[in-house]
Amino acid sequence: MLQGYGPIIVEGAWLTLTLALCSMALAILLGLTGAALRLSPLRWLANLGDAYATLIRGIPDLVLILLIFYGGQDLVNRIAPSLGYTAYIDINPFVAGVFTMGFIFGAYLSETFRGAFMAIAKGQAEAGAAYGMSSTQVFFRILVPQMIRFAIPGFTNNWLVLTKATALISVVGLQDMMFKAKNAADATREPFTFYLAVAALYLLLTSVSLLALRAVERRYSVGTRLAEL
């Protein structure tokens, strides 16, 4: 059916999954940082976090990808000679893709994490302090578990969008699943067959992701559900 291109597309699917996981790891880090900035009592830090979230969410993903990959590469090669490095610097498409997708979805997750932290009743932290916990213990034992429960729905939505948005990275030459499917479709002149196979792989990825994230949601909702019974 795939005329021998099946293993090549599966190889591209593995690269797509790796790109999505690495991008999400960076997005989580940036999202937590952005949420911390936006919840900071210092006005200038809050404004900085708001500017990051608003600016990045307002620019199309494809524009940012092209800007960072081509514009960033041009900027690096303009600066390098002044630092004594004369060789041309070629940015790796995978690295550019991870940083671009992580930077974009970090802005979305900053809003998700911010809302999740704000949904926690203030009395929870006060109860932990009254019990004798340190600020670190209150944060990791009380606030973070509850934040995860509130953040899971928004996080799930962002993860599903990110997995589909990885297809955009193929425009900068990354040989992911879409790139390999396009090459196979051009060679065989059967685009429907290969794009349908890619659609099925994306559907499989999102289905497994939903099952895994629902399991995480159930894990962090155990205490709440018991209290409601």
Side-chain angles (χ1 to χ4, degrees), residues 15 69 73 89-99 169 172-174:
L15 182 60
F69 183 75
Q73 188 164 265
I89 300 174
D90 190 13
I91 297 178
N92 184 286
F94 180 82
V95 175
V98 168
F99 275 93
I169 305 299
V172 297
L174 181 67

Side-chain angles (χ1 to χ4, degrees), residues 6 12 22 82 101 119 139 190:
C22 292
S82 63
M101 301 303 293
F139 181 75
E190 295 184 10

Side-chain angles (χ1 to χ4, degrees), residues 2-223:
L2 296 179
Q3 302 182 34
Y5 286 97
I8 296 176
I9 293 179
V10 171
E11 181 183 350
W14 175 252
L15 182 60
T16 296
L17 178 60
T18 305
L19 173 64
L21 291 173
C22 292
S23 299
M24 182 52 74
L26 179 60
I28 291 173
L29 179 61
L30 293 176
L32 289 172
T33 303
L37 291 176
R38 300 181 72 184
L39 294 172
S40 172
L42 298 177
R43 190 59 188 170
W44 69 274
L45 287 177
N47 289 337
L48 181 62
D50 288 338
Y52 165 60
T54 303
L55 180 64
I56 299 305
R57 289 187 298 167
I59 301 176
D61 296 353
L62 182 58
V63 174
L64 282 173
I65 291 169
L66 296 175
L67 178 64
I68 293 176
F69 183 75
Y70 293 110
Q73 188 164 265
D74 180 67
L75 180 62
V76 168
N77 283 284
R78 287 175 182 269
I79 296 175
S82 63
L83 300 177
Y85 191 85
T86 57
Y88 184 79
I89 300 174
D90 190 13
I91 297 178
N92 184 286
F94 180 82
V95 175
V98 168
F99 275 93
T100 303
M101 301 303 293
F103 191 65
I104 292 171
F105 283 89
Y108 288 97
L109 286 180
S110 70
E111 182 65 27
T112 299
F113 294 148
R114 171 178 171 270
F117 276 116
M118 293 180 67
I120 302 173
K122 294 182 178 179
Q124 297 288 322
E126 294 172 356
Y131 191 74
M133 292 183 180
S134 65
S135 298
T136 302
Q137 289 175 323
V138 168
F139 181 75
F140 286 104
R141 295 184 181 181
I142 296 179
L143 298 183
V144 170
Q146 295 189 70
M147 182 276 290
I148 293 175
R149 178 169 63 88
F150 288 121
I152 282 292
F155 180 87
T156 300
N157 181 61
N158 281 294
W159 166 251
L160 295 180
V161 174
L162 186 149
T163 56
K164 292 179 288 184
T166 54
L168 296 173
I169 305 299
S170 62
V171 302
V172 297
L174 181 67
Q175 297 188 17
D176 66 339
M177 183 162 51
M178 280 301 300
F179 184 91
K180 292 182 181 296
K182 182 181 183 303
N183 287 345
D186 292 342
T188 61
R189 296 184 181 181
E190 295 184 10
F192 181 79
T193 299
F194 292 98
Y195 290 138
L196 183 63
V198 167
L201 288 172
Y202 274 114
L203 181 60
L204 176 62
L205 175 59
T206 54
S207 299
V208 173
S209 299
L210 282 173
L211 291 175
L213 288 169
R214 282 175 182 171
V216 173
E217 184 180 14
R218 287 195 296 269
R219 166 67 179 82
Y220 283 93
S221 299
V222 170

